[in-house]
Amino acid sequence: MAKTRSWFRNGFLILALLSVALIVPVVCFAAESEISLLDESQTEYKLTYDSGEFAVSSTGTLQLHIIQTADGEDISDRVIWLSGAPNIAAIDKNGLVSGKKVGEAEISCLSLDGKTTFVKASIKVVAGVESAALSDSKLTLLLGAGNEKAAAALSYTVQPENAYFQGATWISSDESVAIVDASGKVNAVGAGTCLISAISEDSGFSTPVSCEITVLQAVSQISISAEDILWTGSTQKIAPVISPEDASVQNVLWESSDPSVATVDASGSVRGLTVGAATIKCISTDGSGVFGECAVRVEAKTQSIDFIEKTVSLLIGAGEDHSTMALTLSTTPADAYYQTATWTSSDENVVTVDAQGRLQAVSEGCAQITAVSDDPDCKTAAKCNVVVSKAVQSIVLDEVEQTAYTAATVKLHADVGPDDAANKRVIWETSDPSIAAVDANGNVRCLSVGTCSITCTAADGSGVVSTCELNIIAKVAGLSLSEKNVTLLIGAGDEKLSTQLSCTVIPTDALYQNVVWASCDESIVTVDPDGTLHAVGIGKAVVSATSEDPEYTTPAVCNVTVDQAVMILALDEHDATIYTGDALKLCADVSPDSATNKGLLWMSSDPDVAAVDTNGNVKGLSVGSAEIVCMAADGSEVTDKCTVTVRAKVKGVKLDQSNLQLAVGNGDEAATGHIGFAIQPEDAYIQTVTWMSSDEWFLPLSCWWSPSPSTSDRSDTIS
């Protein structure tokens, strides 16, 4: 007993000596859960605590222990535990620390007699967790769909945000379904359902939070197939084959790549709508993304068939092109799948038909061609009546070339062979209806000048043709000369001796465009083949133009007069001066005396200065100069001229004063005076005056004058 007490005494002494040193390790090594101590007898003790660090939340507890290392004996109930701040952290007699509020408290371990302090340690009281939550309350994981779909990460959050213990312990309710690691990552193990729970590290908050995990066996493959053809309006049920058989989700979704061609409902029933192709897709709803697909070809059933041609005529003796033909078969609808048919002839002695519907005439007669659709569900048949006839082999026209006048009618006749041809009717046509028209009987009406072809074609379709080339010409209906009356001059130069006539044939497209020229008196005038006239002698003659068209004999005529020309024309004056208002008579001498037309034409180069009438009377009108021209009126263009100068007359003289007083005996200046004068009008030709005195003894006039101050006046000196 004494030995035991001594041991305790020595142990407590060691603890007391080390108490100061223990405070630092407890605080500094907060991540450790035990501290080793040695007493003076070298007995080892451990101070332990039930946590990862030496701290407790304001709502939690932390169990402290003192353990004898050698035998593992817990002597926590044989010491005294004390808290330096019970309002922050309280400790019971068994070493259980209870957090009260955030802060720090000193925990002491004493001997039972209280005299020896084994250890002092400062413990932290931190903010406690009040609530917690997981990022998901339910998750579904897939096995067999890849790692991404077989795992999920949960996150754990606490309130308040400043709670000291933010971590949690993760637990799976069934690790055969799913397991969870320390970070909250969940991995699927097997199909089923379990709970993944997180428990706060805060001993004061023991409420776990959970997430329901459902693990499904994923679909790994879906196989679907459809029939080769789906008819429009019909349906086909497609059954999916899902692998593996134990896949958790057997439900699927259906899609069509082209709903206008084929639709699919939720049960996989596909309905064909229009001709075309579509892809049907079957998609797993387990989220694996696995799908299967198949191609569907939609075709239309044949509802009915018919021939484009209801009646066909074939010809024998007109070549292969007319004895054979291919019938055209139409189907309803046009895009029906079965476009072929089985063909038969009611009489193969008349006509045969091959598998493609091509007919071959055999002999004259009638037969019916029947086509039955290869679609077994089509109940209609197409029928065509065929007539085989003997063809026209030749057509001979009575005219192959014909010339006719416009407005005429030509009758063409056709001889059709052989005589036993089934259809000897012919069709008449013109290559240019604006030139010639032809009726059903071969009557041709000639409409306008030109050439065209009149074609006679066999109406039986044999293609036999005969042609008449028709040349339509126009008759001459009239002639028109460029001049009806012409005058030529002898003695006025070569230009006046001749002229050219032109003749226009009416209509302009008449076949005969040439005419023959003639003069009724070649001693007066001759005419060339091109219509040029030449004067020969003085007199009158008629020149005519006659068409070469033998059916038009009316000539076109021109009256030709040949005159002796005026050769010389001489005026009696060639330079004359007159005053405004005065008149001058000019006379002309015409040569030779034998000139046929001695008439004259008078002209003034400036009628505002001098005017002249038809008789050569010239009148001065204003100051200036003008040429008076006299021209022979016979067209010979012989002329003579006179230059006429027109001057202004003096109409008055105006003096600058009416009274002048002079003095004698007072010197020359008093006895001398000036009188100014002005001529009216200012442009009068004579600008001088003659002075006179009524009494020269009393008032003699000097013989000189000088200009007055006025530039327009003159003045003389009077003494």
Side-chain angles (χ1 to χ4, degrees):
M1 185 68 178
K3 188 177 181 180
T4 301
R5 281 198 294 269
S6 175
W7 182 86
F8 272 105
R9 198 165 43 246
N10 293 335
F12 283 124
L13 178 60
I14 293 171
L15 287 174
L17 292 174
L18 295 174
S19 61
V20 176
L22 284 174
I23 293 173
V24 176
V26 170
V27 175
C28 292
F29 295 94
E32 297 182 4
S33 60
E34 65 179 37
I35 300 173
S36 297
L37 304 170
L38 292 173
D39 63 7
E40 59 186 9
S41 64
Q42 296 301 307
T43 301
E44 186 179 29
Y45 296 90
K46 291 189 293 186
L47 176 63
T48 65
Y49 39 91
D50 298 340
S51 176
E53 53 186 303
F54 197 55
V56 65
S57 72
S58 58
T59 58
T61 60
L62 179 64
Q63 180 66 54
L64 301 181
H65 303 274
I66 292 182
I67 306 296
Q68 185 176 353
T69 304
D71 54 11
E73 183 181 2
D74 187 348
I75 61 171
S76 301
D77 57 348
R78 284 170 273 171
V79 295
I80 298 173
W81 297 93
L82 295 176
S83 171
N87 63 327
I88 293 176
I91 189 168
D92 66 10
K93 63 180 181 179
N94 295 315
L96 182 63
V97 181
S98 297
K100 300 299 182 182
K101 66 178 182 179
V102 176
E104 289 189 10
E106 187 178 71
I107 302 299
S108 301
C109 178
L110 308 174
S111 62
L112 289 176
D113 59 7
K115 293 180 179 180
T116 303
T117 300
F118 290 147
V119 66
K120 285 184 180 181
S122 180
I123 190 167
K124 286 183 180 180
V125 179
V126 295
V129 175
E130 298 176 6
S131 65
L134 292 180
S135 55
D136 295 282
S137 60
K138 288 185 178 182
L139 284 176
T140 299
L141 302 180
L142 292 175
L143 282 173
N147 293 334
E148 290 184 0
K149 296 184 180 295
L154 293 173
S155 60
Y156 177 78
T157 57
V158 299
Q159 294 294 332
E161 292 182 358
N162 64 344
Y164 183 77
F165 294 101
Q166 295 286 327
T169 301
W170 297 86
I171 302 172
S172 170
S173 66
D174 188 345
E175 292 193 347
S176 66
V177 175
I179 58 175
V180 61
D181 63 13
S183 65
K185 182 177 180 181
V186 181
N187 286 282
V189 177
T193 303
C194 70
L195 287 178
I196 298 297
S197 301
I199 302 173
S200 175
E201 293 176 350
D202 187 347
S203 61
F205 183 79
S206 59
T207 304
V209 287
S210 302
C211 173
E212 182 181 336
I213 303 296
T214 300
V215 178
L216 303 177
Q217 177 61 52
V219 174
S220 61
Q221 182 179 349
I222 298 178
S223 300
I224 60 174
S225 61
E227 296 176 2
D228 290 341
I229 296 176
L230 176 64
W231 301 108
T232 55
S234 65
T235 59
Q236 176 187 345
K237 180 76 171 182
I238 297 179
V241 178
I242 298 174
S243 299
E245 294 181 357
D246 61 348
S248 300
V249 178
Q250 296 288 320
N251 294 331
V252 293
L253 295 175
W254 295 89
E255 290 181 358
S256 169
S257 64
D258 192 344
S260 66
V261 174
T263 60
V264 59
D265 63 16
S267 67
S269 180
V270 181
R271 182 176 183 83
L273 299 179
T274 59
V275 173
T279 299
I280 303 300
K281 182 182 285 188
C282 178
I283 308 167
S284 174
T285 60
D286 65 357
S288 62
V290 175
F291 66 88
E293 60 183 12
C294 67
V296 173
R297 182 161 62 99
V298 180
E299 298 289 354
K301 280 280 189 180
T302 302
Q303 298 175 8
S304 64
I305 62 172
D306 202 357
F307 287 124
I308 301 298
E309 308 87 353
K310 302 298 182 183
T311 301
V312 168
S313 295
L314 298 178
L315 297 173
I316 294 176
E320 185 178 352
D321 289 345
H322 297 86
S323 63
T324 65
M325 74 167 293
L327 293 177
T328 305
L329 185 67
S330 65
T331 61
T332 303
D335 57 357
Y337 178 69
Y338 290 100
Q339 294 288 329
T340 57
T342 300
W343 304 77
T344 57
S345 169
S346 63
D347 190 345
E348 293 193 345
N349 293 320
V350 174
V351 62
T352 61
V353 61
D354 64 14
Q356 286 72 44
R358 187 165 191 83
L359 307 180
Q360 176 64 59
V362 178
S363 62
E364 294 182 74
C366 297
Q368 188 175 70
I369 301 299
T370 303
V372 178
S373 174
D374 289 340
D375 186 338
D377 295 329
C378 180
K379 306 303 182 185
T380 63
K383 296 183 182 298
C384 174
N385 295 317
V386 180
V387 177
V388 179
S389 305
K390 192 166 188 178
V392 170
Q393 297 180 15
S394 66
I395 298 176
V396 178
L397 295 180
D398 58 345
E399 297 284 349
V400 293
E401 291 184 358
Q402 180 79 28
T403 298
Y405 285 112
T406 54
T409 299
V410 176
K411 174 68 175 179
L412 295 177
H413 300 275
D415 182 16
V416 180
D419 293 338
D420 60 347
N423 181 2
K424 300 179 74 174
R425 190 173 65 86
V426 294
I427 299 171
W428 296 91
E429 293 177 303
T430 175
S431 64
D432 193 339
S434 66
I435 294 177
V438 60
D439 64 14
N441 298 314
N443 296 308
V444 182
R445 288 186 298 113
C446 302
L447 302 177
S448 62
V449 173
T451 59
C452 68
S453 299
I454 304 300
T455 303
C456 179
T457 305
D460 66 354
S462 60
V464 177
V465 175
S466 186
T467 303
C468 173
E469 298 298 331
L470 183 62
N471 180 31
I472 300 176
I473 60 177
K475 290 182 179 180
V476 176
L479 300 174
S480 176
L481 294 182
S482 57
E483 302 287 344
K484 292 185 178 180
N485 296 284
V486 170
T487 298
L488 300 177
L489 295 175
I490 294 176
D494 292 341
E495 291 184 358
K496 304 294 182 179
L497 278 173
S498 65
T499 188
Q500 185 175 18
L501 296 177
S502 62
C503 182
T504 301
V505 178
I506 302 172
T508 57
D509 58 355
L511 176 64
Y512 296 99
Q513 290 291 319
N514 296 328
V515 295
V516 177
W517 297 90
S519 170
C520 70
D521 190 344
E522 293 191 348
S523 66
I524 295 174
V525 63
T526 61
V527 59
D528 294 341
D530 63 355
T532 300
L533 307 180
H534 298 280
V536 177
I538 297 171
K540 295 181 182 294
V542 175
V543 173
S544 63
T546 305
S547 174
E548 291 181 350
D549 187 342
E551 296 192 15
Y552 187 81
T553 58
T554 304
V557 297
C558 174
N559 297 312
V560 180
T561 300
V562 180
D563 291 339
Q564 172 61 54
V566 173
M567 301 175 66
I568 300 174
L569 184 63
L571 294 177
D572 57 349
E573 289 194 55
H574 292 92
D575 195 355
T577 300
I578 61 175
Y579 288 100
T580 54
D582 290 350
L584 173 67
K585 173 68 175 177
L586 293 176
C587 297
D589 183 19
V590 178
S591 296
D593 291 338
S594 61
T596 305
N597 181 2
K598 294 185 178 183
L600 301 174
L601 300 174
W602 296 88
M603 294 165 287
S604 172
S605 65
D606 192 344
D608 292 334
V609 173
V612 62
D613 64 12
T614 56
N615 297 312
N617 296 309
V618 181
K619 186 174 183 179
L621 299 178
S622 62
V623 174
S625 179
E627 284 189 345
I628 304 302
V629 178
C630 180
M631 178 182 288
D634 65 353
S636 62
E637 299 181 4
V638 175
T639 62
D640 197 5
K641 60 185 177 180
C642 173
T643 300
V644 177
T645 301
V646 181
R647 296 174 176 173
K649 286 182 178 181
V650 176
K651 294 183 178 180
V653 178
K654 184 179 180 181
L655 301 179
D656 61 354
Q657 51 190 315
S658 59
N659 294 293
L660 177 64
Q661 293 182 353
L662 301 174
V664 178
N666 293 325
D668 292 340
E669 291 184 3
T672 303
H674 292 277
I675 299 175
F677 67 93
I679 303 298
Q680 300 292 332
E682 292 181 3
D683 59 351
Y685 178 68
I686 298 175
Q687 293 290 320
T688 60
V689 296
T690 301
W691 295 91
M692 294 179 293
S693 172
S694 62
D695 190 344
E696 291 191 356
W697 179 87
F698 176 73
L699 184 64
L701 295 175
S702 65
C703 61
W704 59 272
W705 64 271
S706 62
S708 67
S710 172
T711 58
S712 62
D713 293 346
R714 301 288 190 270
S715 67
D716 276 349
T717 302
I718 299 174
S719 301

